[in-house]
Amino acid sequence: MQKRAEIKVYGRVQKAGFRDFIDEIAFNLNLNGYVKNLDDGTVQVVCEGDEAAINELLKKINIVQYPIRVENIEVSYKNPTGEFKIFELIRDEDITTATYERMDAAARYIREMNSNLCQKMDFLGGKIDVLGGKMDSLGEKVDFLGGKIDVLGGKIDSLGGKIDVLGGRVDSFGGKIDVLGNKIDLARVEISSEIRISRDSLRSHLDGRISNIERELALIKSKVVT
């Protein structure tokens, strides 16, 4: 809903850059009208526009921020006339007073920028601290991982030792197999030799028996013939 608001602001509001501050807010809220100083030391604002925008303007100008101190705000609402096309800052004082006020406004902007910069630096510092904490945590994790790797290395060395021992046992077992094989080969040779000896002895024994039989037969034959 479109409305017209006639506002009067009391406090330390003149010669402090307050009108420039109101002009900027009204511009950003798309309000039309004007702001000016009154002879009684107050600031007058007349604006037309959306009701929500006017309410936002009232919230934003109700400040205590050096060198501005707002003590009270009076507001009366009327139907909009549409007479304003823009929002303007009316300066009806002498050039010296206007210059000093603009300087005050510039000083206030610089303080705001400095304050915002400090807040951003603090925020950045907080992030750096958090990052440092994460780096410390990461370092601890790396140390912990290094410890695990060392333990794993020890286990691998121990496993390697066990494998070496097992290899020695396998070699020893292989040696025993080789010895057994040698013994089997030797036994085979001994058995073969014994078989050969027995065969030769049997042949010799049979040859002797046959020779005796042949001699006996030859003797019998000679006796029969005679």
Side-chain angles (χ1 to χ4, degrees), residues 90-146:
I90 299 176
R91 302 184 187 275
D92 53 5
E93 65 273 5
D94 62 87
I95 188 64
T96 302
T97 303
T99 301
Y100 283 143
E101 188 170 6
R102 296 303 297 271
M103 290 175 65
D104 289 337
R108 183 178 59 81
Y109 287 134
I110 292 173
R111 280 191 295 271
E112 287 182 356
M113 290 176 60
N114 183 58
S115 178
N116 292 335
L117 180 60
C118 289
Q119 290 176 3
K120 289 182 179 180
M121 290 298 292
D122 291 340
F123 181 69
L124 179 60
K127 286 192 172 182
I128 291 174
D129 291 338
V130 171
L131 179 60
K134 288 184 178 180
M135 290 298 291
D136 292 339
S137 176
L138 179 61
E140 292 173 359
K141 288 183 179 180
V142 170
D143 292 339
F144 180 69
L145 178 60

Side-chain angles (χ1 to χ4, degrees), residues 183-207:
K183 287 185 178 181
I184 291 173
D185 292 338
L186 181 60
R188 186 182 298 112
V189 172
E190 291 177 352
I191 291 171
S192 299
S193 178
E194 289 179 359
I195 292 173
R196 189 179 300 107
I197 292 171
S198 297
R199 186 184 299 154
D200 293 342
S201 296
L202 179 59
R203 184 180 295 112
S204 177
H205 177 69
L206 290 175
D207 289 343

Side-chain angles (χ1 to χ4, degrees), residues 25-144:
I25 295 173
F27 176 83
N28 291 334
L29 292 174
N30 198 30
L31 295 173
N32 297 327
Y34 66 87
V35 57
K36 71 174 183 176
N37 288 340
L38 299 180
D39 294 337
D40 60 0
T42 61
V43 170
Q44 183 186 46
V45 180
V46 177
C47 61
E48 294 183 355
D50 188 76
E51 181 180 5
I54 294 175
N55 292 335
E56 186 67 18
L57 172 72
L58 291 171
K59 290 180 182 178
K60 288 183 177 294
I61 67 174
N62 190 14
I63 63 171
V64 176
Q65 180 180 330
Y66 181 83
I68 303 167
R69 181 185 296 274
V70 174
E71 296 177 354
N72 187 33
I73 299 177
E74 294 179 354
V75 186
S76 61
Y77 294 98
K78 298 180 179 180
N79 293 326
T81 63
E83 61 183 289
F84 306 113
K85 302 303 179 184
I86 61 171
F87 193 92
E88 63 178 330
L89 192 164
I90 299 176
R91 302 184 187 275
D92 53 5
E93 65 273 5
D94 62 87
I95 188 64
T96 302
T97 303
T99 301
Y100 283 143
E101 188 170 6
R102 296 303 297 271
M103 290 175 65
D104 289 337
R108 183 178 59 81
Y109 287 134
I110 292 173
R111 280 191 295 271
E112 287 182 356
M113 290 176 60
N114 183 58
S115 178
N116 292 335
L117 180 60
C118 289
Q119 290 176 3
K120 289 182 179 180
M121 290 298 292
D122 291 340
F123 181 69
L124 179 60
K127 286 192 172 182
I128 291 174
D129 291 338
V130 171
L131 179 60
K134 288 184 178 180
M135 290 298 291
D136 292 339
S137 176
L138 179 61
E140 292 173 359
K141 288 183 179 180
V142 170
D143 292 339
F144 180 69

